[in-house]
Amino acid sequence: MSARKRNAEFTVNQIKLYPKIKMLRLKNLSTTRWCSHDRAINVIYHKYLAVIKTLESLLKSDDATTVIQARGLYHSVSSFEFIAVTIFMRKLFVVKTPLSNYLQSSSLDYVEALCLVDSVQNTLKILRSEEQFSLLIDESKSFASNNNLVVTGLKEIRSRRIKRMPGELCQDESNIK
């Protein structure tokens, strides 16, 4: 199925699910422009149900390649981990995008740029707290339940230990710090 037909399907689903909200287009990602990532994540966040419905309809396509890609994307997009990462990235881009746009402007004031960098740095330090992480998980759970997704926890990473060899005097130590 061509990209034009997939975009048309996404448009139809947006009209059905969000009739009074402005229609958005899925954005191409650029490897050098982080703003494109910001725009793509916002489209997925604001039009999540339309993305899911589009992937469900692509699963019924006659083209095997389209079905395989849609199945993989559907599995990823409908997971709780995807929702949590999407919400985290939105929060990150809200902080980072104004700085990125300012640093790319033609009328750059170095003092103002340094103030913006300090502000972003301080905000990022706040975002790294346990309290903010709890809020992020709560928001993710709320978003998942509002969109009829199964709310699961994040996978716990098993601590890996360095094996103690016979004759060594040291204790088993975790290599994760």
Side-chain angles (χ1 to χ4, degrees):
M1 182 179 278
S2 69
R4 187 175 296 164
K5 289 181 182 179
R6 291 189 302 261
N7 282 329
E9 183 71 30
F10 182 59
T11 302
V12 167
N13 285 319
Q14 282 187 74
I15 292 169
K16 286 180 191 174
L17 296 167
Y18 307 102
K20 298 184 186 223
I21 299 175
K22 180 182 172 185
M23 198 168 4
L24 300 174
R25 296 192 56 144
L26 288 172
K27 310 297 183 189
N28 289 328
L29 297 179
S30 169
T31 56
T32 57
R33 300 282 181 185
W34 281 91
C35 295
S36 68
H37 293 261
D38 181 27
R39 285 187 231 115
I41 286 174
N42 278 324
V43 170
I44 291 171
Y45 181 80
H46 291 294
K47 304 292 183 159
Y48 183 77
L49 288 176
V51 170
I52 291 292
K53 293 294 181 190
T54 302
L55 289 172
E56 287 173 352
S57 64
L58 291 177
L59 288 172
K60 300 171 188 165
S61 174
D62 295 332
D63 183 22
T65 306
T66 301
V67 172
I68 291 168
Q69 290 175 347
R71 187 179 303 130
L73 284 172
Y74 182 80
H75 178 69
S76 296
V77 170
S78 60
S79 70
F80 180 73
E81 289 86 5
F82 180 85
I83 298 300
V85 169
T86 300
I87 291 173
F88 171 72
M89 293 301 290
R90 280 189 74 235
K91 288 184 177 199
L92 185 65
F93 282 125
V94 163
V95 174
K96 182 218 60 81
T97 299
L99 173 64
S100 179
N101 289 338
Y102 187 75
L103 292 175
Q104 295 175 36
S105 68
S106 59
S107 59
L108 181 67
D109 178 16
Y110 292 112
V111 174
E112 182 66 25
L114 287 174
C115 290
L116 278 172
V117 168
D118 288 340
S119 172
V120 167
Q121 184 179 17
N122 292 334
T123 306
L124 290 176
K125 285 179 183 175
I126 293 169
L127 283 175
R128 290 183 58 155
S129 69
E130 288 292 326
E131 179 183 328
Q132 289 297 317
F133 180 74
S134 300
L135 291 173
L136 171 82
I137 295 300
D138 291 342
E139 185 179 347
S140 301
K141 287 179 180 177
S142 173
F143 184 87
S145 64
N146 290 342
N147 290 294
N148 300 323
L149 295 175
V150 177
V151 177
T152 61
L154 297 175
K155 292 180 184 174
E156 300 242 352
I157 298 175
R158 182 176 62 95
S159 64
R160 300 175 191 259
R161 303 225 176 245
I162 299 172
K163 183 178 176 185
R164 187 174 66 163
M165 302 304 284
E168 286 186 326
L169 299 175
C170 66
Q171 300 281 330
D172 283 348
E173 297 174 358
S174 174
N175 62 359
I176 299 176
K177 295 182 181 179

